[in-house]
């Protein structure tokens, strides 16, 4: 009897000990689970915060890009340069700071040939050849004339604008594709056409030398990268900056380039086109 009572007591003690040990295990397991959940929650918050930061930075970049692109129409000097690069001829409004120079011509006994018949008060006719001549690094003897002085000064405003764009692309990682509205004009800086809509490589060389002389090589590289966006969207006859001037794209790899760019590269290298 005494033996049975002792055995029962040992069994109760073991059960009680097992209960408390099991409870401790459950508590430890529950604590570890809570810790894991806390770590996951913290990681999720960090990831969410990072995504919010990226979105906020994207909005800020977009705001900055829009503020710069608005200068393309609000700044009369830049607007005139864009008109010249696009039209290469025809009437254009004279920016206010240069109007007195043209007023002096109107008061003169004889008008120069390039302003013989102005289209209207406050306007003049774009002369593509004189525009290009005005941008030679070694200034033309006629650089003080009203039109050449206006051309050169307005192109300086445009280059200052491009310099700001280049600084943004480098400093805050703005993608050249975000400046798509500017891509056409950057392409025309690199591959201009004359008044007869013919390619004018000599003008392109003069514009490039002007930018690299008075600004810097990196600015011209950014112009090339923005111009590349225009080339991606147009036909096979559109010059591709990365093919014509590969030295400007040394740091860029081929991923993301469209199939037509690969075809153009294959043609230039004499590689057979793949067949379907």
């Amino acid at each position: 009897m005494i033996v049975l009572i002792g055995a029962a007591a040992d069994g109760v003690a073991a059960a009680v000990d097992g209960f408390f040990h099991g409870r401790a295990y459950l508590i430890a397991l529950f604590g570890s689970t809570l810790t894991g959940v806390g770590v996951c929650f913290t990681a999720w918050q960090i990831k969410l915060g990072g995504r919010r930061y990226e979105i906020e930075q994207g909005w800020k970049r977009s705001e900055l890009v829009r503020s710069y692109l608005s200068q393309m129409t609000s700044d009369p000097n830049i607007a005139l340069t864009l008109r010249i690069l696009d039209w290469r001829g025809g009437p254009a409004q004279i920016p206010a700071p240069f109007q007195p120079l043209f007023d002096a011509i109107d008061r003169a006994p004889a008008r120069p040939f390039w302003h013989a018949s102005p289209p209207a008060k406050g306007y003049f006719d774009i002369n593509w050849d004189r525009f290009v001549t005005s941008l030679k690094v070694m200034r033309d003897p006629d650089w003080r004339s009203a039109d050449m002085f206006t051309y050169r000064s307005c192109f300086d405003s445009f280059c200052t604008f491009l310099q700001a764009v280049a600084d943004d692309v480098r400093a805050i990682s703005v993608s050249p594709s975000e400046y798509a509205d500017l891509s056409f004009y950057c392409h025309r800086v690199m591959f201009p056409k004359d008044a007869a809509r013919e390619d004018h490589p000599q003008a392109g060389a003069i514009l490039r030398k002007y930018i690299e002389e008075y600004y810097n090589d990196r600015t011209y590289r950014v112009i090339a990268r923005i111009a590349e966006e225009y080339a991606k969207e147009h036909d096979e006859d559109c010059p591709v900056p990365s093919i014509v001037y590969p030295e400007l794209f040394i740091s860029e790899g081929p991923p993301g380039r469209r199939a037509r760019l690969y075809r153009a590269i294959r043609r230039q290298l004499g590689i057979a086109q793949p067949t379907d």
Side-chain angles (χ1 to χ4, degrees):
M1 184 68 177
I2 295 175
V3 173
L4 291 174
I5 293 173
D10 289 341
V12 171
V16 171
D17 183 67
F19 171 77
F20 283 108
H21 276 80
R23 187 177 180 185
Y25 172 77
L26 290 174
I27 293 173
L29 179 62
F30 183 68
S32 298
T33 303
L34 284 179
T35 301
V37 171
V39 170
C40 292
F41 181 71
T42 301
W44 178 76
Q45 284 187 315
I46 292 173
K47 183 177 180 180
L48 182 61
R51 292 179 65 181
R52 286 176 177 170
Y53 176 79
E54 289 178 0
I55 293 172
E56 290 175 0
Q57 291 302 304
W59 277 106
K60 289 180 180 178
R61 286 197 298 268
S62 297
E63 287 284 340
L64 188 61
V65 170
R66 282 196 295 269
S67 69
Y68 275 129
L69 294 182
S70 67
Q71 296 181 39
M72 293 169 60
T73 54
S74 62
D75 187 314
N77 290 11
I78 296 175
L80 175 60
T81 301
L82 300 183
R83 175 67 59 85
I84 295 168
L85 291 171
D86 186 7
W87 289 12
R88 305 167 305 283
Q93 189 170 14
I94 301 167
F98 308 102
Q99 184 62 57
L101 298 176
F102 288 85
D103 291 342
I105 294 175
D106 293 337
R107 294 191 297 267
R111 295 176 182 271
F113 74 93
W114 52 265
H115 198 57
S117 301
K121 179 66 176 177
Y123 284 77
F124 77 118
D125 281 314
I126 296 169
N127 186 307
W128 173 255
D129 291 333
R130 287 179 66 81
F131 168 74
V132 174
T133 300
S134 73
L135 297 177
K136 291 181 177 179
V137 172
M138 298 300 295
R139 291 180 299 193
D140 187 83
D142 200 24
W143 74 273
R144 291 179 180 271
S145 63
D147 66 329
M148 281 197 176
F149 184 78
T150 300
Y151 289 142
R152 193 177 180 98
S153 299
C154 290
F155 192 76
D156 267 332
S157 297
F158 178 62
C159 288
T160 300
F161 165 73
L162 291 177
Q163 181 70 60
V165 170
D167 289 341
D168 288 341
V169 169
R170 291 194 300 267
I172 61 175
S173 302
V174 176
S175 169
S177 62
E178 296 186 60
Y179 289 100
D181 292 344
L182 184 60
S183 63
F184 167 76
Y185 300 103
C186 287
H187 196 272
R188 279 296 170 86
V189 168
M190 299 188 71
F191 306 102
K193 294 183 179 295
D194 60 19
R197 297 187 62 83
E198 298 293 334
D199 292 337
H200 196 178
Q202 294 85 358
I206 290 173
L207 269 58
R208 178 176 181 174
K209 187 174 182 180
Y210 185 92
I211 293 169
E212 292 180 342
E213 178 72 21
Y214 293 113
Y215 295 87
N216 55 58
D217 295 346
R218 291 178 299 178
T219 297
Y220 196 78
R221 289 177 182 274
V222 171
I223 291 173
R225 285 165 171 76
I226 296 175
E228 185 86 355
E229 298 302 316
Y230 177 81
K232 288 178 181 179
E233 301 296 333
H234 291 78
D235 58 36
E236 296 280 349
D237 295 330
C238 179
V240 180
S242 59
I243 295 177
V244 180
Y245 301 111
E247 71 278 7
L248 300 176
F249 293 80
I250 292 176
S251 61
E252 292 189 354
R257 191 151 299 158
R258 300 194 175 190
R260 73 172 192 80
L261 299 183
Y262 286 117
R263 291 198 301 271
I265 292 172
R266 292 189 186 100
R267 276 202 307 272
Q268 286 209 347
L269 297 179
I271 301 173
Q273 299 292 336
T275 57
D276 297 330

